[in-house]
Amino acid sequence: MENVKATKEMAATQNNGTAWDNLKRKMPKDMGIFLVMIGIALVFEVLGWVFRGQSFLMNPGRLVLIVLQVAIIGIIAVGVTQVIITTGIDLSSGSLVALTAVVAASLAQTADSISPMYPSLVDLPAIVPIVAGIGVGLLCGLINGWLITKTGIPPFIATLGMMVSARGLAQFYTQGNPISFLSDGFTSIGQGSVPVVIFLVVAVVFHIALKHTRYGKYVYAIGGNMTSARVSGINVDKYLIIVYSIAGALSGLAGIVMAARVSSGQSSMGLAYELDAIAAAVIGGTSLMGGVGRITGCVIGAIILGLMKSGFTFIGVDSYVQDIIKGAIIVGAVVIDMRRNKAKR
């Protein structure tokens, strides 16, 4: 009788486990991180009433600011996510924001500028500085990819070198002076909801690219096992160069949006944005071990970062303490990712 009873209990436990496993399989893959985002928002709502006596979520102005902050970091994070999926890293994205912002701003100045950088190139159509900025970012990303694939140096070193060089180029280009008096056509892409629309379009395009195209299939294959990808006939070097070029171009787009938003190009723009972009990707479930990551998770990760930054500021947490907390969260996300991968192995 005891054996029969034990057998029934084991069967019930297995059935419950199977039901739970089936439920988890049916749930969207990013549901867990989405619930974390909701939980963080509710925590700050409670803390807002406790420390400030007002709502955190029911303030339209604050929510708009969060979304705008998320848009620029999110555009960068979409590119960085693809790099990390290939087991790479991109430390240059923040500096590329500055470099592309000052290049685009210098070509977007109007005739009434006090001291235009190019007096003969004022009042140009907005498309000119936009293409120039994205082109500079694309070129820098291409150099990153070429260095990694053709010289064999680690992505960390290649992109670290680009980070330092791009920031130096931005400072040399402007001599430390801001570039202002930008045309209305150019600044319009940074106003209102336009940055958010750009971010969402970028996210949708690359979500489809990663999920439904040969490009995405090869990117995941390279991240899963680069040697096997080579053996199966994938031109690994070609696709790595494409991935880093895309990341550079998206950093350039983020720099353009930022310059348009503040109506100025400055060499100090984008400081530590590469860390925020990496954090958004990792928090969103992208594995630093490669082969795992989704654009939807990256978007949610960027929103979580925006919520945390605005929430901590709202309740009066010092910015230095915010950086400490952000660093701890990044480390925690990586530790969880490593344990998850170890469990799978």
Side-chain angles (χ1 to χ4, degrees):
M1 291 296 292
E2 291 181 357
N3 290 337
V4 172
K5 184 177 180 181
T7 302
K8 289 182 178 180
E9 289 177 352
M10 289 176 62
T13 302
Q14 290 176 351
N15 289 334
N16 289 335
T18 302
W20 174 243
D21 290 339
N22 290 334
L23 179 61
K24 287 197 294 183
R25 280 194 289 269
K26 291 179 181 179
M27 291 173 63
K29 291 184 178 180
D30 295 310
M31 180 58 70
I33 191 66
F34 178 78
L35 293 176
V36 170
M37 181 188 74
I38 298 299
I40 290 173
L42 293 177
V43 167
F44 280 120
E45 176 69 11
V46 173
L47 292 177
W49 286 108
V50 171
F51 291 103
R52 299 293 299 274
Q54 56 181 291
S55 173
F56 171 70
L57 296 174
M58 297 296 108
N59 187 317
R62 185 177 299 108
L63 294 179
V64 169
L65 183 60
I66 292 172
V67 172
L68 288 174
Q69 291 174 336
V70 165
I72 294 175
I73 295 297
I75 293 171
I76 303 170
V78 169
V80 170
T81 295
Q82 297 172 73
V83 168
I84 296 177
I85 289 174
T86 67
T87 68
I89 199 72
D90 188 357
L91 300 178
S92 65
S93 51
S95 296
L96 293 186
V97 167
L99 180 59
T100 55
V102 297
V103 169
S106 67
L107 296 173
Q109 290 183 294
T110 59
D112 58 356
S113 300
I114 297 175
S115 55
M117 290 197 67
Y118 302 109
S120 60
L121 296 176
V122 292
D123 291 325
L124 294 174
I127 190 65
V128 175
I130 292 173
V131 170
I134 294 176
V136 168
L138 177 66
L139 177 61
C140 293
L142 180 65
I143 294 172
N144 280 337
W146 185 87
L147 287 172
I148 292 164
T149 57
K150 302 306 179 184
T151 69
I153 62 177
F156 180 89
I157 300 300
T159 58
L160 177 64
M162 179 59 72
M163 177 184 76
V164 177
S165 298
R167 183 71 63 181
L169 279 171
Q171 293 169 342
F172 176 77
Y173 189 78
T174 62
Q175 295 298 303
N177 299 314
I179 302 173
S180 52
F181 294 94
L182 310 185
S183 67
D184 292 339
F186 177 78
T187 56
S188 64
I189 65 174
Q191 308 306 313
S193 61
V194 177
V196 180
V197 172
I198 293 173
F199 169 43
L200 293 178
V201 169
V202 167
V204 169
V205 167
F206 285 101
H207 171 74
I208 294 172
L210 284 178
K211 197 169 183 180
H212 301 290
T213 69
R214 179 183 297 178
Y215 164 78
K217 178 182 177 182
Y218 287 175
V219 167
Y220 283 112
I222 292 168
N225 190 315
M226 194 173 295
T227 302
S228 297
R230 291 186 190 277
V231 171
S232 65
I234 297 174
N235 189 336
V236 172
D237 289 357
K238 171 186 173 182
Y239 280 92
L240 284 177
I241 290 174
I242 291 174
V243 167
Y244 280 93
S245 297
I246 289 172
L250 290 178
S251 295
L253 177 59
I256 291 166
V257 172
M258 190 169 188
R261 181 182 168 191
V262 301
S263 301
S264 175
Q266 303 173 33
S267 60
S268 60
M269 286 178 164
L271 285 171
Y273 276 25
E274 64 276 357
L275 300 181
D276 286 342
I278 293 170
V282 173
I283 290 171
T286 304
S287 173
L288 290 174
M289 304 300 171
V292 177
R294 290 177 297 277
I295 299 300
T296 48
C298 160
V299 171
I300 297 173
I303 294 173
I304 287 175
L305 282 181
L307 281 171
M308 289 173 53
K309 184 174 182 179
S310 182
F312 284 131
T313 302
F314 176 61
I315 62 177
V317 176
D318 189 272
S319 60
Y320 300 113
V321 177
Q322 293 184 34
D323 289 339
I324 295 171
I325 296 172
K326 187 191 300 181
I329 290 173
I330 294 172
V331 172
V334 173
V335 169
I336 292 171
D337 174 59
M338 292 180 67
R339 289 188 174 180
R340 187 190 302 125
N341 282 285
K342 186 176 179 180
K344 287 180 180 179
R345 289 195 298 269

